[in-house]
Amino acid sequence: MAHENDAHQAVPDAPGTAPRRRTDADGVTRRRPLRERHVEETVEVTVPVRTAYNQWTQFKTFPRFSTVVHGVEQIRPTVTAWTIGYGPLRHRFAVEIVEQDPDAYLAWRGLEQNPSHQGEVEFRPTESGGTAITVRMLLQPQGAARILTRSSRTARLTARLVRGELMNFKQFIEGLGQEGGAWRGTIRNGRVQHDHPEPPRSRVAQWPVG
């Protein structure tokens, strides 16, 4: 799931498959939403898309409203470490944002070996001026854990958890009324895109360019 100021998150394709892409009217090539998924949940919030998106991408604030997220640490511009759990049980894992479009979309993949997962979040304006937030997740466990993933009960439990977290976020952002920060960058294939390329560096140490 996202970042604080320079922190974030987007969704990769299943291993061994070619990336699914689309070219929008603006000529930008982007990934398509997950075709295969175990979970898809949507909630509407009564704040504009920009506000909802800005707050969602402040990942370090998730523990303020989540019942399962206990901490989020920024590792690199596109990688965060999440600590989740119930009661005394804790599980820490890294997540990489692979795609991110301000006010529209972000996709991520888990970097843990077992189990692994992909996810994406879409933000769409509603007719009332609010925002529809849709979360999709695809679990990709290894070995014997694959059997549990095929269980409809497991999918239902995961969907219930995601739904609960979305409702918690809804209450949180509607209570605030405005975002507590923002990161407005774009990510493509796990790399932050810069609007202006960096100037060439001098080959002589300590010499300024220009």
Side-chain angles (χ1 to χ4, degrees):
M1 287 161 140
H3 1 259
E4 181 168 343
N5 295 331
D6 69 340
H8 357 273
Q9 299 170 19
V11 177
D13 301 284
T17 63
R20 308 176 305 279
R21 297 184 179 280
R22 70 182 188 276
T23 300
D24 291 347
D26 57 7
V28 176
T29 300
R30 300 184 175 92
R31 291 176 182 265
R32 294 183 181 277
L34 286 173
R35 291 177 297 181
E36 180 184 358
R37 64 189 69 99
H38 290 108
V39 172
E40 178 172 337
E41 294 291 333
T42 299
V43 68
E44 292 190 11
V45 299
T46 59
V47 297
V49 167
R50 186 182 181 95
T51 299
Y53 171 88
N54 284 348
Q55 186 59 54
W56 185 280
T57 55
Q58 299 301 292
F59 301 131
K60 290 184 179 181
T61 67
F62 268 58
R64 293 177 59 185
F65 63 84
S66 173
T67 58
V68 295
V69 179
H70 297 277
V72 182
E73 178 185 356
Q74 192 74 33
I75 305 300
R76 297 195 298 275
T78 61
V79 177
T80 50
W82 294 66
T83 300
I84 65 173
Y86 286 103
L89 301 178
R90 295 289 186 273
H91 175 57
R92 188 173 187 270
F93 60 94
V95 164
E96 178 188 26
I97 301 177
V98 295
E99 198 92 0
Q100 185 160 333
D101 290 308
D103 301 336
Y105 181 79
L106 70 84
W108 75 90
R109 66 174 179 175
L111 298 179
E112 55 189 332
Q113 291 297 315
N114 185 23
S116 188
H117 70 285
Q118 300 180 50
E120 63 189 5
V121 186
E122 287 188 321
F123 301 83
R124 303 182 306 280
T126 63
E127 293 183 357
S128 62
T131 306
I133 305 173
T134 297
V135 174
R136 303 182 187 92
M137 291 182 64
L138 172 64
L139 305 179
Q140 297 176 297
Q142 305 298 317
R146 290 179 180 273
I147 298 175
L148 293 177
T149 303
R150 296 192 189 102
S151 166
S152 60
R153 180 173 181 272
T154 299
R156 288 197 302 271
L157 290 175
T158 304
R160 186 183 306 169
L161 175 61
V162 171
R163 178 68 178 177
E165 294 295 88
L166 281 173
M167 294 303 297
N168 290 340
F169 178 77
K170 172 182 172 68
Q171 295 177 1
F172 180 69
I173 187 58
E174 290 180 350
L176 290 177
Q178 62 183 18
E179 63 269 43
W183 188 88
R184 305 291 302 172
T186 298
I187 296 175
R188 293 282 180 270
N189 296 317
R191 293 179 178 272
V192 177
Q193 304 298 296
H194 298 284
D195 294 335
H196 304 288
E198 296 182 2
R201 296 185 179 181
S202 170
R203 295 183 179 179
V204 180
Q206 306 303 321
W207 281 25
V209 175

